[in-house]
Amino acid sequence: MNKINIVYIFGAALFLALLMVVQSGRTERAISDAVKANAETARLGKEIRTMQQQWDDTKQIQRRIDAILTQGEFKAYVDRKNKNGRTYQVQFTPLPAQTFDRLTAKLFNTPVTISKMTVSRSSDQNVSLSVEFAL
Protein backbone atom coordinates (compact mmCIF):
# COMPACT_ATOMS: atom_id res chain seq x y z
CA MET A 1 0.00 0.00 0.00
CA ASN A 2 1.18 3.44 -0.86
CA LYS A 3 1.62 6.02 1.83
CA ILE A 4 -0.08 9.41 1.46
CA ASN A 5 2.41 12.16 1.79
CA ILE A 6 1.64 14.51 4.70
CA VAL A 7 2.60 17.52 2.56
CA TYR A 8 -0.33 16.78 0.25
CA ILE A 9 -2.72 16.68 3.19
CA PHE A 10 -1.45 20.01 4.56
CA GLY A 11 -1.57 21.50 1.05
CA ALA A 12 -5.16 20.39 0.54
CA ALA A 13 -6.17 21.71 3.99
CA LEU A 14 -4.44 25.04 3.28
CA PHE A 15 -6.19 25.27 -0.10
CA LEU A 16 -9.59 24.57 1.51
CA ALA A 17 -8.94 27.14 4.25
CA LEU A 18 -7.97 29.76 1.66
CA LEU A 19 -11.06 28.93 -0.41
CA MET A 20 -13.29 29.30 2.67
CA VAL A 21 -11.79 32.72 3.52
CA VAL A 22 -12.34 33.99 -0.02
CA GLN A 23 -15.93 32.70 -0.10
CA SER A 24 -16.75 34.18 3.31
CA GLY A 25 -15.44 37.58 2.14
CA ARG A 26 -17.67 37.41 -0.94
CA THR A 27 -20.64 36.38 1.20
CA GLU A 28 -20.03 39.28 3.62
CA ARG A 29 -19.96 41.74 0.72
CA ALA A 30 -23.16 40.28 -0.74
CA ILE A 31 -24.89 40.54 2.64
CA SER A 32 -23.65 44.11 3.09
CA ASP A 33 -25.00 45.08 -0.35
CA ALA A 34 -28.34 43.41 0.43
CA VAL A 35 -28.62 45.31 3.73
CA LYS A 36 -27.91 48.61 1.94
CA ALA A 37 -30.49 47.81 -0.73
CA ASN A 38 -33.02 46.90 1.97
CA ALA A 39 -32.42 50.19 3.79
CA GLU A 40 -32.88 52.13 0.53
CA THR A 41 -36.09 50.23 -0.21
CA ALA A 42 -37.42 50.97 3.27
CA ARG A 43 -36.62 54.68 2.86
CA LEU A 44 -38.38 54.79 -0.50
CA GLY A 45 -41.36 52.93 0.97
CA LYS A 46 -41.72 55.52 3.73
CA GLU A 47 -41.44 58.34 1.20
CA ILE A 48 -44.10 56.76 -1.02
CA ARG A 49 -46.42 56.20 1.95
CA THR A 50 -46.02 59.85 3.02
CA MET A 51 -46.79 61.08 -0.50
CA GLN A 52 -49.77 58.76 -0.77
CA GLN A 53 -51.21 60.08 2.49
CA GLN A 54 -50.58 63.63 1.33
CA TRP A 55 -52.35 63.17 -2.02
CA ASP A 56 -55.24 60.92 -0.89
CA ASP A 57 -56.72 63.04 1.92
CA THR A 58 -59.62 64.90 0.29
CA LYS A 59 -60.34 67.12 3.30
CA GLN A 60 -56.70 68.19 3.49
CA ILE A 61 -56.65 68.91 -0.26
CA GLN A 62 -59.77 71.06 0.03
CA ARG A 63 -58.21 72.93 2.98
CA ARG A 64 -55.08 73.62 0.90
CA ILE A 65 -57.18 74.98 -1.96
CA ASP A 66 -59.29 77.11 0.38
CA ALA A 67 -56.14 78.40 2.10
CA ILE A 68 -54.85 79.68 -1.23
CA LEU A 69 -58.21 81.14 -2.25
CA THR A 70 -58.69 83.01 1.04
CA GLN A 71 -55.35 84.78 0.84
CA GLY A 72 -55.77 88.54 0.63
CA GLU A 73 -54.58 89.10 -2.91
CA PHE A 74 -56.67 86.24 -4.38
CA LYS A 75 -59.80 86.44 -2.22
CA ALA A 76 -61.25 89.41 -4.09
CA TYR A 77 -61.02 87.62 -7.47
CA VAL A 78 -62.86 84.41 -6.53
CA ASP A 79 -66.16 84.59 -8.37
CA ARG A 80 -67.70 81.24 -7.49
CA LYS A 81 -66.77 77.93 -5.89
CA ASN A 82 -68.66 74.72 -6.54
CA LYS A 83 -68.07 71.27 -5.06
CA ASN A 84 -69.49 68.35 -7.07
CA GLY A 85 -68.67 64.95 -5.59
CA ARG A 86 -64.98 64.38 -6.29
CA THR A 87 -64.38 67.73 -8.05
CA TYR A 88 -64.02 71.26 -6.77
CA GLN A 89 -64.52 74.02 -9.36
CA VAL A 90 -63.39 77.60 -8.88
CA GLN A 91 -64.19 80.47 -11.23
CA PHE A 92 -62.22 83.72 -10.99
CA THR A 93 -63.15 87.19 -12.16
CA PRO A 94 -60.63 88.63 -14.62
CA LEU A 95 -57.25 88.75 -12.88
CA PRO A 96 -54.39 91.16 -13.53
CA ALA A 97 -51.45 89.38 -15.17
CA GLN A 98 -49.18 89.64 -12.10
CA THR A 99 -51.85 88.25 -9.78
CA PHE A 100 -52.51 85.45 -12.28
CA ASP A 101 -48.80 84.57 -12.25
CA ARG A 102 -48.67 84.44 -8.45
CA LEU A 103 -51.89 82.42 -8.25
CA THR A 104 -50.81 79.83 -10.81
CA ALA A 105 -47.41 79.54 -9.14
CA LYS A 106 -49.14 78.85 -5.81
CA LEU A 107 -51.50 76.31 -7.38
CA PHE A 108 -48.76 74.46 -9.25
CA ASN A 109 -46.48 74.34 -6.19
CA THR A 110 -49.20 73.01 -3.87
CA PRO A 111 -49.84 69.25 -3.73
CA VAL A 112 -53.30 69.29 -5.34
CA THR A 113 -54.56 67.60 -8.50
CA ILE A 114 -55.71 70.03 -11.15
CA SER A 115 -57.94 68.08 -13.51
CA LYS A 116 -58.92 71.00 -15.74
CA MET A 117 -57.73 74.59 -16.12
CA THR A 118 -59.22 77.06 -18.57
CA VAL A 119 -57.35 80.29 -19.22
CA SER A 120 -58.60 82.99 -21.55
CA ARG A 121 -57.52 86.52 -22.16
CA SER A 122 -60.25 89.05 -21.53
CA SER A 123 -58.08 92.09 -22.33
CA ASP A 124 -54.41 93.02 -22.70
CA GLN A 125 -53.93 93.22 -18.95
CA ASN A 126 -56.53 90.77 -17.57
CA VAL A 127 -56.82 86.99 -17.70
CA SER A 128 -59.93 84.92 -16.96
CA LEU A 129 -59.30 81.67 -15.12
CA SER A 130 -61.39 78.62 -14.29
CA VAL A 131 -59.85 75.70 -12.38
CA GLU A 132 -61.27 72.26 -11.59
CA PHE A 133 -59.54 70.30 -8.84
CA ALA A 134 -59.89 66.56 -8.30
CA LEU A 135 -60.52 65.66 -4.67
Side-chain angles (χ1 to χ4, degrees), residues 16-17 21 24 32 35 46 51 53 55 82-83 85 93 100-101 103 108 118-119 123 129 133:
L16 287 175
V21 168
S24 69
S32 173
V35 167
K46 287 178 184 176
M51 287 183 157
Q53 289 171 350
W55 287 87
N82 185 18
K83 183 179 178 200
T93 58
F100 171 76
D101 287 342
L103 177 63
F108 290 144
T118 307
V119 180
S123 69
L129 178 65
F133 300 96

Side-chain angles (χ1 to χ4, degrees), residues 24-73:
S24 69
R26 288 181 183 169
T27 304
E28 284 180 21
R29 273 181 281 179
I31 290 172
S32 173
D33 291 343
V35 167
K36 287 179 185 175
N38 188 25
E40 178 68 17
T41 303
R43 186 190 66 77
L44 284 174
K46 287 178 184 176
E47 187 175 325
I48 288 170
R49 186 175 346 117
T50 303
M51 287 183 157
Q52 212 170 24
Q53 289 171 350
Q54 186 178 32
W55 287 87
D56 284 347
D57 187 7
T58 58
K59 290 180 183 178
Q60 183 65 26
I61 291 172
Q62 189 166 352
R63 276 182 267 186
R64 287 184 198 127
I65 296 168
D66 288 336
I68 292 172
L69 299 179
T70 57
Q71 288 181 359
E73 63 181 325

Side-chain angles (χ1 to χ4, degrees), residues 57-84 87-92 103 106-107 110-114 131-135:
D57 187 7
T58 58
K59 290 180 183 178
Q60 183 65 26
I61 291 172
Q62 189 166 352
R63 276 182 267 186
R64 287 184 198 127
I65 296 168
D66 288 336
I68 292 172
L69 299 179
T70 57
Q71 288 181 359
E73 63 181 325
F74 308 131
K75 188 176 184 179
Y77 296 106
V78 176
D79 187 26
R80 107 186 122 209
K81 296 188 263 188
N82 185 18
K83 183 179 178 200
N84 273 341
T87 62
Y88 190 53
Q89 299 171 340
V90 181
Q91 179 74 38
F92 293 93
L103 177 63
K106 286 245 189 222
L107 291 176
T110 303
V112 294
T113 304
I114 299 173
V131 183
E132 183 177 301
F133 300 96
L135 297 177

